[in-house]
Amino acid sequence: MMARLREASGEGLLGLAARCAVIVAVACVVAVGVNAARLGGLPLLPGEVPCPGVSRVLWGRFDHAEPKEARRLWQEASAAFVDARPHEEYIFNHIPGAVNLPYRKFSSSFAENESLLAPTGVVVIYGDGKPCGDHLRVAKLLAERGFTKIKLLDGGYPAWEAGGYPVQGGHARGETGVAP
């Protein structure tokens, strides 16, 4: 009788342990998937993370444009430019022709400017120059709305201005109005 009891409890413990292992494995897979898809997900692999706090999946989802390439696209008028900085900074100075879609007021700004942006066209998004700034969040929101050709301007507005490229707003490099 004791032998049977030991045998039955042994099978029960093994079965319980196996079920617990499956539950833990499924939970780990779900957690890694949610972390990878989430803006601000934790890096899971060692090494250089291009944007700490942003998942590699999201970071790798968008193309990047050096200021020189962005200027070429601007000169050819082959891309729409989106300024993701707050409206006050946009008014102060911005790339001529850029649409202002600040992250914190994205919904209302997008509704006002949606007709100026083509979901199938190239969109260059820039921010304040921080690699993990609001431009990345705006890119994610545009991608969720069906935009497929998104480029992030490396270095943001400061890199554009440092390149001596045209600006509008009157407060960059001591200028008033649009730079040549």
Side-chain angles (χ1 to χ4, degrees):
M1 174 96 161
M2 266 321 238
R4 274 193 189 165
L5 187 56
R6 284 187 196 140
E7 188 178 308
S9 70
E11 285 177 15
L13 287 177
L14 285 176
L16 179 62
R19 282 184 252 143
C20 286
V22 168
I23 290 170
V24 168
V26 168
C28 287
V29 167
V30 169
V32 167
V34 168
N35 183 60
R38 181 174 169 244
L39 183 63
L42 299 172
L44 299 177
L45 302 174
E48 185 180 335
V49 178
C51 190
V54 175
S55 73
R56 290 178 188 268
V57 171
L58 179 60
W59 180 261
R61 184 178 188 183
F62 306 113
D63 291 331
H64 294 260
E66 293 291 327
K68 188 175 183 179
E69 177 192 358
R71 178 163 190 226
R72 179 187 57 77
L73 293 169
W74 180 82
Q75 286 176 318
E76 295 172 353
S78 58
F81 280 72
V82 170
D83 188 325
R85 301 175 302 156
H87 187 69
E88 297 76 27
E89 291 181 46
Y90 172 81
I91 292 298
F92 191 72
N93 52 24
H94 58 272
I95 296 173
V99 173
N100 186 219
L101 297 179
Y103 173 68
R104 285 178 177 63
K105 295 182 179 181
F106 181 83
S107 293
S108 60
S109 296
F110 182 75
E112 291 171 17
N113 294 294
E114 184 175 4
S115 64
L116 302 174
L117 302 169
T120 57
V122 176
V123 177
V124 177
I125 304 173
Y126 66 91
D128 59 8
K130 296 175 185 167
C132 305
D134 285 345
H135 68 294
L136 190 59
R137 291 169 182 83
V138 169
K140 180 179 184 274
L141 292 171
L142 286 175
E144 289 171 354
R145 284 165 175 75
F147 287 77
T148 57
K149 297 176 185 169
I150 296 172
K151 292 180 176 278
L152 303 175
L153 175 57
D154 290 338
Y157 180 81
W160 176 274
E161 186 178 29
Y165 303 144
V167 297
Q168 185 173 9
H171 299 285
R173 296 192 311 272
E175 299 171 356
T176 57
V178 178

